Amino acid sequence: MGAKHITLIDLNNFSYYPTISMGLVARYIRDAGFSLNVISPLSNGIKSRSREKVEGKIDYYRSRIVFSQSRAVRSMIQQAEKLPYIKERFLKKRKLASTVINSIPAETDLVLISTYTENYTICKRVVSHLKSLGIPVIIGGPAFNDLNHVAQFVAIDGVNYVVGSEIDAYLGDLLRDFFAGEDVFKYPGVYSKDKHNTVNKYIFKKMDELPVPDYSDFPWDKYPNRIIPYMTGRGCSWGKCNFCTDVVLVNGRSYRSQSKEKVLSDLKALSEQVKTNIFAFTDLKLNSNVEVWNSLIDGLPKIVDNPIWFCAVHVDNRKRNGLDRETLIRAKQAGLTRISFGLETASQRLLDDMQKGTTVARLDQFVNDVKSAGISLRATMFIGYRDENADDLRQTHEFLVKNQDCFERIKLCRFQIYDLTPIKSELSPQEQQNLHARQINHQYLNSDYLREKKKILRIVNKINSKRLNEDARAFDGVM
C-alpha cells in the first residue's frame, strides 16, 4: 500500500501572500511521509476582498451607516448580514464552497480543513460532500481554543475531529495514529462530538525547532507581488490590552520568540525558495523581542539584496522598545517601508482603561518619528469603547488633525467585545445589560457625541483618500 493521500484545504483565503500556518502544516505532512495536495481558493480564481483601499466620498457616507450607534440601524445591519443572498453573493461563500469541492482529488484518504469561524457555512457544504464519499475530515484553526466554537464545528455531520492547538510537535504522529485507528485524544486540543468539554492549555515553546515553511503549493503567479509571510515569535510580549482577541487565540496565548540566528537563517532560505526580497512580518508586535528587532535591521540587508518589509509594532513606554527615531531611520535604510500600530484612541483616560501601556505624548512622538524616517504609517482605531464620551472623541479628532500628514492609512472599526477577552469579564452589570451586537455604548447617543464621531469619520476618510507612497505600494491593500 502506498502513502496515504491527504488534502489540505486552506479557507484563510489571503489574496496577497500564503498562510504561514499552512506552510508549516504542509512541511509537517510531507516530512511524515504522506502524499499531499493543497487547495488554495486563490489558485482557482477566488479572490478575497481587499482589506484596504483608497477611499472616496461614498466611503465616508458608507461609514456613517456602519458606525451608527442606533440600535435600530445596528439590528438592521445584523439582519442583512444573515441573509443568504448577502452572505453568498457578496462574500462569495457559495462559489468558494463549490470550488473547493470540485478541487478535491479522488484519491484523497483524509481532508484537513484550516478555517476561521466565519467560514462555518462553507465547512458544512464541503463536509457534507466528503461524507457522501466516505472521506474523513479534521478541522482546525486559531479560534478552536474557545469551546463554544469547538462545539459548533464538531457538531457538523461528517466531522471526525476538531483540533484547537499548536500542532508543531506532533502533527505527523497524530496523523499516523489516526490512520492506524489508535487513540488521538492523547494529543493536546483534539475534540470530537463526545469529547469537547476540556479547555486545551498546551503551549508550544520550542520555537527554534520550527522548520522553514513550505510555500511551494501556493499560487505565486496570482499574487500581485511575491511577498513572504514570516513570524519571528508567537503572542505579544505586552499582552495586557483588555480588548485583544489575538492573545487569546490558539497560538497567541503567551509570548515566545525564535532566536535571532534562526530568524535570519529562515529568511535567507525563504528568499531563495520563493525568489523574492519582499517580506510581511505577521508577528502581533515585531518589537516584542528588541534583540530580534535590532538583528533584523542590522542583518536582513546582509542576507537579502535590497529587502522590502512590513511589520506591526506596539508603541509602549519601555525605555528600549526599538522605536526611537534613530532606530526607525536605520530600519528604513534596512528596507522597512511600512509600519502598523494600534492607536485605538488619543484619550489618555481610555488608553489607561484599555491597559495599553502608553501615553498620548508617546504616540505623538512615534508617529512623527516614523514620518521623519520616511516610513509609510498605518494605524488601527476604534469607536465605541466602554464609557467613551464626546470629549474622548474630541481629543482623538484633534490628534488626527494635528498629525494627519504622518498617516497614510487608518483602519477604523466599531469596538466590539469578544468572548475570552479580559474586558468581557470586567463589564459591570449595567454594561452587560447594555451589550448589544457586542457593543455597549448606545447610551451615549447624544448630539455632542455624534458631532465628534462625524468629525473623526471625516478626517479618517481624508487620510485614507491618499495614495500610498511609492516605496510602500508593494503592500497596498495588504493591511
mmCIF file of all heavy atoms in Angstrom, residues 439-458:
data_model
loop_
_atom_site.group_PDB
_atom_site.id
_atom_site.type_symbol
_atom_site.label_atom_id
_atom_site.label_comp_id
_atom_site.label_asym_id
_atom_site.label_seq_id
_atom_site.Cartn_x
_atom_site.Cartn_y
_atom_site.Cartn_z
ATOM 1 N N GLN A 439 -21.513 45.428 21.374
ATOM 2 C CA GLN A 439 -21.182 46.819 21.670
ATOM 3 C C GLN A 439 -21.970 47.290 22.889
ATOM 4 O O GLN A 439 -23.042 46.777 23.181
ATOM 5 C CB GLN A 439 -21.529 47.716 20.473
ATOM 6 C CG GLN A 439 -20.766 47.339 19.222
ATOM 7 C CD GLN A 439 -21.244 48.141 18.035
ATOM 8 O OE1 GLN A 439 -20.966 49.313 17.922
ATOM 9 N NE2 GLN A 439 -21.995 47.492 17.166
ATOM 10 N N ILE A 440 -21.421 48.318 23.576
ATOM 11 C CA ILE A 440 -22.042 48.702 24.839
ATOM 12 C C ILE A 440 -22.293 50.194 24.983
ATOM 13 O O ILE A 440 -22.715 50.643 26.038
ATOM 14 C CB ILE A 440 -21.167 48.265 26.031
ATOM 15 C CG1 ILE A 440 -19.756 48.843 25.886
ATOM 16 C CG2 ILE A 440 -21.144 46.779 26.198
ATOM 17 C CD1 ILE A 440 -18.847 48.560 27.059
ATOM 18 N N ASN A 441 -22.038 50.975 23.947
ATOM 19 C CA ASN A 441 -22.076 52.428 24.155
ATOM 20 C C ASN A 441 -23.303 53.118 23.574
ATOM 21 O O ASN A 441 -23.277 54.293 23.275
ATOM 22 C CB ASN A 441 -20.813 53.091 23.588
ATOM 23 C CG ASN A 441 -20.820 53.112 22.078
ATOM 24 O OD1 ASN A 441 -21.255 52.154 21.461
ATOM 25 N ND2 ASN A 441 -20.339 54.183 21.497
ATOM 26 N N HIS A 442 -24.387 52.411 23.426
ATOM 27 C CA HIS A 442 -25.575 53.037 22.843
ATOM 28 C C HIS A 442 -26.159 54.123 23.735
ATOM 29 O O HIS A 442 -26.864 54.997 23.277
ATOM 30 C CB HIS A 442 -26.625 51.975 22.556
ATOM 31 C CG HIS A 442 -26.114 50.892 21.679
ATOM 32 N ND1 HIS A 442 -25.938 51.043 20.331
ATOM 33 C CD2 HIS A 442 -25.670 49.643 21.966
ATOM 34 C CE1 HIS A 442 -25.433 49.936 19.812
ATOM 35 N NE2 HIS A 442 -25.263 49.085 20.789
ATOM 36 N N GLN A 443 -25.844 54.076 25.038
ATOM 37 C CA GLN A 443 -26.370 55.104 25.933
ATOM 38 C C GLN A 443 -25.731 56.465 25.684
ATOM 39 O O GLN A 443 -26.171 57.469 26.231
ATOM 40 C CB GLN A 443 -26.162 54.701 27.408
ATOM 41 C CG GLN A 443 -24.705 54.556 27.824
ATOM 42 C CD GLN A 443 -24.208 53.127 27.692
ATOM 43 O OE1 GLN A 443 -24.562 52.452 26.728
ATOM 44 N NE2 GLN A 443 -23.427 52.671 28.639
ATOM 45 N N TYR A 444 -24.678 56.522 24.835
ATOM 46 C CA TYR A 444 -24.007 57.803 24.570
ATOM 47 C C TYR A 444 -24.540 58.462 23.300
ATOM 48 O O TYR A 444 -23.861 59.283 22.696
ATOM 49 C CB TYR A 444 -22.497 57.593 24.472
ATOM 50 C CG TYR A 444 -21.945 56.918 25.702
ATOM 51 C CD1 TYR A 444 -21.343 55.680 25.635
ATOM 52 C CD2 TYR A 444 -22.084 57.525 26.943
ATOM 53 C CE1 TYR A 444 -20.866 55.055 26.771
ATOM 54 C CE2 TYR A 444 -21.615 56.902 28.090
ATOM 55 C CZ TYR A 444 -21.006 55.668 27.991
ATOM 56 O OH TYR A 444 -20.552 55.054 29.129
ATOM 57 N N LEU A 445 -25.712 58.075 22.908
ATOM 58 C CA LEU A 445 -26.308 58.639 21.706
ATOM 59 C C LEU A 445 -26.829 60.053 22.015
ATOM 60 O O LEU A 445 -27.973 60.248 22.410
ATOM 61 C CB LEU A 445 -27.460 57.748 21.232
ATOM 62 C CG LEU A 445 -27.996 58.013 19.832
ATOM 63 C CD1 LEU A 445 -26.923 57.750 18.791
ATOM 64 C CD2 LEU A 445 -29.203 57.122 19.559
ATOM 65 N N ASN A 446 -25.942 61.056 21.874
ATOM 66 C CA ASN A 446 -26.333 62.445 22.095
ATOM 67 C C ASN A 446 -25.666 63.306 21.036
ATOM 68 O O ASN A 446 -24.756 62.855 20.328
ATOM 69 C CB ASN A 446 -25.964 62.918 23.509
ATOM 70 C CG ASN A 446 -24.476 62.790 23.777
ATOM 71 O OD1 ASN A 446 -23.672 63.467 23.147
ATOM 72 N ND2 ASN A 446 -24.096 61.925 24.722
ATOM 73 N N SER A 447 -26.095 64.540 20.923
ATOM 74 C CA SER A 447 -25.649 65.394 19.820
ATOM 75 C C SER A 447 -24.153 65.673 19.870
ATOM 76 O O SER A 447 -23.493 65.705 18.826
ATOM 77 C CB SER A 447 -26.440 66.701 19.822
ATOM 78 O OG SER A 447 -26.275 67.390 21.055
ATOM 79 N N ASP A 448 -23.585 65.902 21.050
ATOM 80 C CA ASP A 448 -22.146 66.180 21.154
ATOM 81 C C ASP A 448 -21.328 64.974 20.697
ATOM 82 O O ASP A 448 -20.353 65.100 19.953
ATOM 83 C CB ASP A 448 -21.777 66.538 22.593
ATOM 84 C CG ASP A 448 -22.311 67.899 23.002
ATOM 85 O OD1 ASP A 448 -22.639 68.697 22.099
ATOM 86 O OD2 ASP A 448 -22.408 68.160 24.215
ATOM 87 N N TYR A 449 -21.728 63.807 21.165
ATOM 88 C CA TYR A 449 -21.025 62.582 20.796
ATOM 89 C C TYR A 449 -21.103 62.343 19.293
ATOM 90 O O TYR A 449 -20.103 62.051 18.635
ATOM 91 C CB TYR A 449 -21.630 61.395 21.551
ATOM 92 C CG TYR A 449 -20.939 60.069 21.315
ATOM 93 C CD1 TYR A 449 -19.899 59.653 22.127
ATOM 94 C CD2 TYR A 449 -21.340 59.232 20.272
ATOM 95 C CE1 TYR A 449 -19.268 58.434 21.911
ATOM 96 C CE2 TYR A 449 -20.725 58.018 20.046
ATOM 97 C CZ TYR A 449 -19.685 57.619 20.874
ATOM 98 O OH TYR A 449 -19.065 56.428 20.647
ATOM 99 N N LEU A 450 -22.285 62.472 18.737
ATOM 100 C CA LEU A 450 -22.480 62.230 17.306
ATOM 101 C C LEU A 450 -21.704 63.234 16.459
ATOM 102 O O LEU A 450 -21.150 62.889 15.414
ATOM 103 C CB LEU A 450 -23.959 62.277 16.961
ATOM 104 C CG LEU A 450 -24.830 61.181 17.590
ATOM 105 C CD1 LEU A 450 -26.284 61.398 17.240
ATOM 106 C CD2 LEU A 450 -24.370 59.806 17.127
ATOM 107 N N ARG A 451 -21.651 64.484 16.908
ATOM 108 C CA ARG A 451 -20.905 65.503 16.165
ATOM 109 C C ARG A 451 -19.409 65.166 16.129
ATOM 110 O O ARG A 451 -18.771 65.249 15.076
ATOM 111 C CB ARG A 451 -21.129 66.872 16.801
ATOM 112 C CG ARG A 451 -20.402 68.012 16.054
ATOM 113 C CD ARG A 451 -20.675 69.374 16.657
ATOM 114 N NE ARG A 451 -20.205 69.460 18.038
ATOM 115 C CZ ARG A 451 -20.991 69.462 19.104
ATOM 116 N NH1 ARG A 451 -22.315 69.379 18.954
ATOM 117 N NH2 ARG A 451 -20.491 69.545 20.318
ATOM 118 N N GLU A 452 -18.849 64.768 17.280
ATOM 119 C CA GLU A 452 -17.432 64.439 17.329
ATOM 120 C C GLU A 452 -17.128 63.168 16.548
ATOM 121 O O GLU A 452 -16.078 63.061 15.899
ATOM 122 C CB GLU A 452 -16.975 64.280 18.781
ATOM 123 C CG GLU A 452 -17.071 65.550 19.613
ATOM 124 C CD GLU A 452 -16.181 66.672 19.075
ATOM 125 O OE1 GLU A 452 -15.158 66.383 18.431
ATOM 126 O OE2 GLU A 452 -16.527 67.851 19.305
ATOM 127 N N LYS A 453 -18.032 62.222 16.585
ATOM 128 C CA LYS A 453 -17.823 60.998 15.816
ATOM 129 C C LYS A 453 -17.799 61.302 14.319
ATOM 130 O O LYS A 453 -16.958 60.772 13.572
ATOM 131 C CB LYS A 453 -18.921 59.982 16.125
ATOM 132 C CG LYS A 453 -18.735 58.649 15.389
ATOM 133 C CD LYS A 453 -19.813 57.665 15.732
ATOM 134 C CE LYS A 453 -21.143 58.061 15.145
ATOM 135 N NZ LYS A 453 -22.167 57.000 15.287
ATOM 136 N N LYS A 454 -18.697 62.152 13.879
ATOM 137 C CA LYS A 454 -18.742 62.520 12.469
ATOM 138 C C LYS A 454 -17.438 63.186 12.034
ATOM 139 O O LYS A 454 -16.925 62.947 10.937
ATOM 140 C CB LYS A 454 -19.921 63.452 12.207
ATOM 141 C CG LYS A 454 -20.159 63.764 10.721
ATOM 142 C CD LYS A 454 -21.244 64.808 10.542
ATOM 143 C CE LYS A 454 -22.565 64.359 11.115
ATOM 144 N NZ LYS A 454 -23.637 65.362 10.829
ATOM 145 N N LYS A 455 -16.877 63.995 12.908
ATOM 146 C CA LYS A 455 -15.607 64.670 12.591
ATOM 147 C C LYS A 455 -14.460 63.660 12.449
ATOM 148 O O LYS A 455 -13.601 63.799 11.579
ATOM 149 C CB LYS A 455 -15.288 65.701 13.678
ATOM 150 C CG LYS A 455 -16.192 66.930 13.624
ATOM 151 C CD LYS A 455 -16.226 67.691 14.929
ATOM 152 C CE LYS A 455 -14.879 68.316 15.274
ATOM 153 N NZ LYS A 455 -14.990 69.147 16.521
ATOM 154 N N ILE A 456 -14.469 62.628 13.288
ATOM 155 C CA ILE A 456 -13.451 61.581 13.161
ATOM 156 C C ILE A 456 -13.612 60.834 11.852
ATOM 157 O O ILE A 456 -12.628 60.556 11.143
ATOM 158 C CB ILE A 456 -13.518 60.614 14.362
ATOM 159 C CG1 ILE A 456 -12.995 61.307 15.619
ATOM 160 C CG2 ILE A 456 -12.705 59.349 14.079
ATOM 161 C CD1 ILE A 456 -13.041 60.444 16.861
ATOM 162 N N LEU A 457 -14.835 60.503 11.490
ATOM 163 C CA LEU A 457 -15.073 59.797 10.226
ATOM 164 C C LEU A 457 -14.578 60.620 9.037
ATOM 165 O O LEU A 457 -14.030 60.069 8.076
ATOM 166 C CB LEU A 457 -16.560 59.478 10.066
ATOM 167 C CG LEU A 457 -17.170 58.524 11.098
ATOM 168 C CD1 LEU A 457 -18.656 58.329 10.830
ATOM 169 C CD2 LEU A 457 -16.443 57.192 11.101
ATOM 170 N N ARG A 458 -14.749 61.924 9.104
ATOM 171 C CA ARG A 458 -14.301 62.790 8.004
ATOM 172 C C ARG A 458 -12.777 62.816 7.890
ATOM 173 O O ARG A 458 -12.236 62.691 6.789
ATOM 174 C CB ARG A 458 -14.838 64.213 8.195
ATOM 175 C CG ARG A 458 -16.305 64.376 7.837
ATOM 176 C CD ARG A 458 -16.680 65.847 7.716
ATOM 177 N NE ARG A 458 -18.084 66.017 7.389
ATOM 178 C CZ ARG A 458 -18.581 65.915 6.162
ATOM 179 N NH1 ARG A 458 -17.775 65.643 5.153
ATOM 180 N NH2 ARG A 458 -19.872 66.104 5.942
#
